[in-house]
């Protein structure tokens, strides 16, 4: 901004200087040219007059007589009149005696009708000096009128009269002046151009360099996609804000924002839309925060805002405003797309450094991400201990299988028609060092983040297959697979090895995978998916309907089963008609695609009736059984085999 005004100012100055210079050059050149031209015309006219005077004297020797005694023969008068008509420019010819008496007048243009008798100034001068005299009689600037008086003398220099010629040289002068007129304009113009060209060129190059420099500086300081500050600039500017003197009751506040499952968003909607979403997010931050707030894209899908000198309420309401705004779907090329953003905030205490503030806000953000909440999470000391808990879980997970803190439980999956057990879903359990259970909702994300899930998952799979080996031949075993396990190239080999070594029939095995995995469309995921299917293993799409594009992925992959997420039972319970319609559509669609449909989270007889009526194949939920330890699952299975099947 500053640079632009500076450049504009130099241009304006150059333009002003140029105009003044062109003006000076124009007037200067014009007047000096005028002078030169006039001088040239005068000298040319004199030559001409001299020539004419000489010619007349030579052609008319009778002038001698005329001057002496004023006698003009008829023949001489006729000759004079005839010949002088052709003397171009001649206005008047007069012949005087030696004492200045007018002897003869030839007035070509009736020039001096009255004053012809009066002796001219030029004559007086010539008589006084005894020399020839030339006078300019020009009335206006366009005319060149010359009067020449030449003494007439004998060969012995005896003066006997004067010849006076009045001569109009205007036409010649004008022709001459016209010839030079273009120079009056062209010359100053050329001179001005000679000055302006290099000056403007220099100014242009200078401003271009300045612009390039500014752009480079901007690029180094800004994030190219969103135009927000980058991390380095943000840190520097925030440090400067921290160096300012504090204000009573006010403190610096920080808001950290992270896009939930941005990888998934990108894979589902394409990178162009992903970029557009980040730009939309940046714009939302810009338009909903104050001018003095520092806003930055710290990296990938992570944004930060430092709100200098705010009250606790102000920070909270700014964060809530952003949350409300980011919940709305955003429009891109006629398409409404919803993204999810997590927000963590922290208000500095007087002695906090920027680093500490950022760390605390990050803990709040991690909490928001882990809980999957789209509420704003404000940092509290309690959350900090939560970080300690994560570290504790991570260490518990490290040796969980070897120390007996991990084990598997099995939840039955029931045939909706016969209400007999068709299989079990194996679910992992973790107990902390003090013996309290840790929920998978808590430890699975940590295991995924730390990469421990591959090892844990392998052990879980081995354990579940070893248990399920003793179940009847027709009972399937469903195992949850994490995206990280799928990304691991050895997955197929390990599964094959387990199947072979435990002698477990592949057709009894089922893998449940969430859409999140398939979003990471790459050749490896595809080929592992196919290889597992080729071995005879069933593939189930888990948590159907909770992700971004369940439907398109369902169509793109060769699934055997579809598990409707339990949120479809709980979330829609208020509006039964609507719930019915949604469930019916999903079940119909799944069946049209030849998939077996399971609904999770079945807790009531009403839900069973509804799902059975809608044609859902399998049911799973607390109504039938909670996930059970190995022995209980086995006992339930034996019971189930003994009891009669329900008649549809
Ligand atoms: P999920 O795969 O959707 O598993 C079903 C979850 O729903 C289980 O929670 C189960 O206990 C719960 N559930 C079943 N019926 C009902 C019901 O009627 N009402 C309610 N409210 N809940 C019901 P759990 O065991 O806490 O597991 C949570 C999630 O953790 C699982 O969701 C799965 O994504 C993950 N998980 C669990 N075990 C493993 C594992 O061995 N490997 C992997 N990768 N993920 C696992
Ligand atoms: Ca599952
Ligand atoms: Ca599920």
């Amino acid at each position: 901004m500053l640079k632009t005004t500076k450049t504009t100012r130099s241009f304006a100055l150059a333009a002003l200087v140029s105009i003044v210079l062109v003006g000076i050059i124009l007037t200067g050149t014009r007047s000096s040219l005028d002078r030169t031209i006039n001088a040239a015309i005068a000298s040319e006219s004199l030559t001409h007059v001299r020539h004419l005077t000489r010619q007349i004297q030579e052609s008319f020797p009778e002038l001698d007589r005329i001057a002496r005694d004023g006698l003009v023969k008829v023949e001489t008068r006729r000759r004079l009149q005839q010949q002088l008509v052709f003397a171009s420019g001649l206005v008047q010819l007069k012949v005087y005696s030696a004492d200045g008496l007018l002897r003869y007048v030839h007035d070509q243009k009736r020039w001096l009708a009255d004053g012809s008798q009066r002796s001219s100034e030029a004559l007086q001068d010539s008589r006084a000096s005894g020399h020839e005299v030339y006078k300019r009689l020009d009335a206006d600037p366009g005319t060149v009128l010359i009067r020449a008086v030449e003494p007439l003398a004998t060969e012995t220099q005896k003066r006997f009269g004067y010849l006076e010629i009045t001569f109009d040289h205007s036409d010649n002068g004008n022709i001459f002046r016209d010839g030079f007129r273009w120079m009056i304009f062209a010359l100053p113009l050329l001179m001005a151009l000679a000055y302006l060209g290099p000056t403007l060129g220099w100014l242009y190059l200078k401003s271009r360099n300045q612009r390039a420099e500014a752009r480079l500086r901007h690029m180094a300081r800004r994030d190219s996609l969103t135009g927000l500050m980058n991390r380095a600039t943000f840190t520097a500017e925030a440090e400067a804000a921290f160096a300012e003197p504090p204000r009573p009751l006010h403190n610096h506040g920080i808001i950290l924002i992270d896009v939930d499952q941005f990888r998934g968003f990108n894979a589902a909607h394409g990178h162009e839309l992903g970029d557009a979403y980040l730009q939309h997010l940046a714009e939302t931050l810009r338009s909903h925060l104050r001018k003095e707030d520092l806003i930055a894209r710290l990296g990938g899908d992570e944004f930060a805002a430092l709100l200098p000198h705010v009250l606790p309420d102000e920070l909270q309401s700014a964060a809530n405003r952003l949350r409300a705004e980011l919940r709305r779907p955003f429009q891109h090329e006629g398409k409404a797309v919803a993204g999810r953003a997590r927000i963590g905030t922290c208000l500095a205490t007087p002695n906090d450094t920027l680093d500490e503030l950022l760390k605390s806000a990050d803990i709040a953000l991690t909490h928001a991400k882990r809980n999957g909440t789209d509420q704003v999470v404000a940092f509290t000391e309690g959350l900090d201990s939560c970080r300690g808990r994560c570290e504790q879980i991570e260490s518990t997970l490290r040796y969980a299988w070897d120390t007996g803190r991990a084990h598997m439980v099995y939840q039955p999956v029931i045939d909706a028609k016969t209400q007999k057990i068709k299989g079990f879903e194996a679910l992992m359990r973790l107990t902390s060092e003090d013996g309290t259970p840790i929920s998978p909702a808590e430890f699975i994300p940590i295991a995924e983040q730390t990469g421990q899930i591959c090892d844990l998952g392998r052990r879980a799979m081995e354990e579940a297959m070893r248990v399920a080996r003793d179940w009847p031949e027709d009972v399937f075993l469903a195992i949850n697979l994490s995206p990280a396990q799928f990304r691991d190239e050895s997955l197929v080999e390990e599964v094959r090895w387990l199947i072979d070594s435990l002698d477990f029939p592949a057709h009894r095995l089922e893998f449940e995978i969430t859409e999140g995995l398939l979003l990471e469309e790459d050749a490896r995921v595809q080929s592992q998916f196919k290889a597992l299917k080729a071995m005879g293993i069933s593939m189930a799409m888990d948590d159907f309907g909770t992700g971004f594009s369940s439907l398109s992925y369902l169509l793109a992959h060769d699934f055997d089963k579809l598990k409707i997420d339990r949120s479809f039972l709980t979330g829609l319970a208020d509006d039964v008609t609507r719930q019915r319609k949604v469930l019916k559509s999903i079940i119909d669609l799944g069946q049209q695609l030849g998939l077996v449909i399971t609904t999770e989270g079945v807790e009531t007889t009403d839900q069973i009736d509804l799902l059975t009526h809608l044609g859902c194949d399998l049911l799973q939920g607390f109504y039938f059984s909670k996930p059970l330890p190995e022995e209980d699952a086995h006992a339930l299975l034996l019971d189930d085999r003994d009891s009669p099947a329900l008649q549809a």
Side-chain angles (χ1 to χ4, degrees), residues 485-493 524 528:
Q485 284 172 276
F486 233 93
R487 264 179 252 127
D488 185 349
E489 276 177 11
S490 54
L491 176 74
V492 175
E493 273 325 297
R524 203 186 315 151
Q528 305 237 63

Side-chain angles (χ1 to χ4, degrees), residues 425 427 480 512 542-543 563 600 620:
E425 176 177 2
L427 295 154
N480 292 287
E512 295 190 1
D542 206 356
D543 303 342
K563 294 189 81 175
E600 306 180 293
Q620 184 182 350

Side-chain angles (χ1 to χ4, degrees), residues 323-445:
R323 184 196 60 144
E325 206 48 46
L326 291 173
R327 261 183 184 173
R328 284 174 218 253
F330 86 104
Q331 298 286 335
H332 182 72
E333 291 175 355
K335 210 169 147 189
V337 192
R340 281 181 299 222
R342 308 278 181 231
I343 302 181
T345 68
C346 184
L347 192 71
T349 52
N351 295 322
D352 273 353
T353 61
L354 173 66
D355 213 32
E356 283 161 343
L357 182 63
L358 278 169
K359 270 194 191 123
S360 302
D362 196 46
I363 291 167
L365 179 65
T366 311
H367 194 81
K369 283 198 269 188
R370 197 162 284 146
N371 289 0
T373 175
D374 80 337
Q375 300 297 313
V376 173
V377 176
F379 174 78
T380 57
E381 290 301 327
L383 289 185
D384 205 10
S385 58
C386 191
R387 186 159 59 139
R389 176 159 171 83
C390 292
E391 282 161 9
Q392 192 193 331
I393 292 174
E394 194 185 324
S395 92
T396 310
L397 281 172
R398 208 164 298 143
Y399 304 106
W401 281 102
D402 299 320
T403 54
R405 295 213 170 87
H407 69 278
M408 299 305 285
V409 289
Y410 305 88
Q411 186 177 32
V413 180
I414 312 294
D415 185 313
K417 288 202 187 81
T418 61
Q419 303 234 333
K420 301 290 273 179
I421 295 175
K422 292 289 278 186
F424 285 89
E425 176 177 2
L427 295 154
M428 207 190 304
R429 291 291 174 262
L430 185 72
T431 338
S432 66
E433 273 135 59
D434 61 14
T436 51
I438 303 170
S439 156
E442 201 176 5
F443 75 78
I444 295 285

Side-chain angles (χ1 to χ4, degrees), residues 47 147 318 388 424 492 494 499 530 568 573 621:
T47 318
R147 175 159 292 159
F424 285 89
V492 175
E494 277 167 12
I499 287 175
K530 282 195 179 129
F568 284 91

Side-chain angles (χ1 to χ4, degrees), residues 74-205:
V74 177
E75 161 62 12
T76 310
R77 185 181 296 272
R78 197 175 49 78
R79 254 186 66 229
L80 273 167
Q81 273 167 0
Q82 262 176 8
Q83 291 195 15
L84 289 177
V85 164
F86 300 104
S88 83
L90 182 75
V91 174
Q92 195 181 57
L93 176 141
K94 283 181 179 178
V95 181
Y96 294 95
S97 65
D99 43 10
L101 288 173
L102 181 66
R103 299 292 201 199
Y104 178 77
V105 178
H106 171 84
D107 202 340
Q108 194 109 295
K109 295 183 179 166
R110 306 270 165 244
W111 168 254
L112 299 170
D114 329 319
S116 54
Q117 300 303 319
R118 232 183 295 137
S119 68
S120 68
E121 215 177 302
L123 177 72
Q124 286 162 18
D125 286 357
S126 181
R127 287 187 62 203
S129 66
H131 293 297
E132 53 194 20
V133 168
Y134 296 92
K135 286 249 187 246
R136 288 283 294 262
L137 307 178
D138 311 353
D140 52 72
T143 58
V144 182
L145 197 65
I146 296 174
R147 175 159 292 159
V149 175
E150 190 147 320
L152 300 171
T154 59
E155 273 163 18
T156 56
Q157 298 302 317
K158 188 164 172 4
R159 197 177 306 150
F160 57 84
Y162 297 91
L163 174 66
E164 182 191 279
I165 283 176
T166 307
F167 180 77
D168 183 359
H169 205 57
S170 303
D171 286 351
N172 272 19
N174 283 340
I175 289 167
F176 199 76
R177 192 175 276 112
D178 282 348
F180 278 97
R181 181 149 295 141
W182 66 271
M183 276 179 83
I184 295 178
F185 296 99
L187 209 65
L189 215 67
L190 281 174
M191 286 173 81
L193 277 181
Y195 161 77
L196 271 182
T199 309
L200 291 180
W202 176 77
L203 273 173
Y204 171 74
L205 285 179

